[in-house]
Amino acid sequence: MGMISEFKAFAMKGNLVDMAVGFVMGSAFATVVKDFIDGVFMPAIQPIMGGIDLSTWKWVLEAPTLAADGTVADAGWVINFGQFLTSLISFIIVAFVMFLIIKGMNKAMVKEEAAPAAPPANEVLLAEIRDLLAKK
């Protein structure tokens, strides 16, 4: 039972639970951003780019070959850099939004007042001498 209770204490620590919530929220946020990129952002910039769908851009190194019956015998070599560019745009948007969130949180945090500086040692010593002389 010792190992189970130790694992339970580990799993229920605040930091671990907070991190798990962060992963779930991050995953959901990434899905929302991907859908935004695919469904709103890219279709909005397609007219500017002449109607080209960025996610379909690719570089064909070796074309696929077909068999006699019409099936694909060899898939060939294709570099899909358009999908990479779409993912890069998605990453930049997520990074910018996270920057704005952290910047807002830092601004909203209450700043602690700095503790007053300690008086110089000679003033402390003089104050002690004064107090001792006042007692006599």
Side-chain angles (χ1 to χ4, degrees):
M1 279 305 226
M3 183 186 279
I4 293 174
S5 60
E6 185 178 346
F7 177 75
K8 181 180 176 185
F10 168 76
M12 298 311 286
K13 282 186 181 175
N15 292 341
L16 187 63
V17 174
D18 291 343
M19 188 172 66
V21 170
F23 278 126
V24 170
M25 293 298 291
S27 175
F29 184 67
T31 303
V32 169
V33 170
K34 181 177 178 352
D35 289 342
F36 171 76
I37 295 295
D38 294 341
V40 177
F41 185 74
M42 287 303 180
I45 66 167
Q46 278 181 354
I48 297 169
M49 297 174 55
I52 298 172
D53 183 10
L54 185 66
S55 65
T56 61
W57 285 6
K58 57 187 168 189
W59 182 25
V60 178
L61 299 173
E62 182 181 322
T65 55
L66 299 176
D69 61 352
T71 60
V72 177
D74 181 22
W77 295 89
V78 178
I79 297 175
N80 294 314
F81 64 90
Q83 189 61 41
F84 171 73
L85 291 175
T86 304
S87 297
L88 186 64
I89 291 169
S90 178
F91 171 76
I92 290 170
I93 290 174
V94 169
F96 182 70
V97 168
M98 295 310 298
F99 167 75
L100 292 177
I101 289 171
I102 291 171
K103 186 176 179 180
M105 287 176 58
N106 287 341
K107 191 177 277 190
M109 292 180 101
V110 177
K111 294 183 180 179
E112 295 179 17
E113 293 185 25
N122 61 353
E123 287 184 17
V124 172
L125 184 59
L126 288 173
E128 288 176 5
I129 293 171
R130 180 196 65 212
D131 293 342
L132 287 173
L133 289 174
K135 287 183 181 179
K136 292 186 180 185

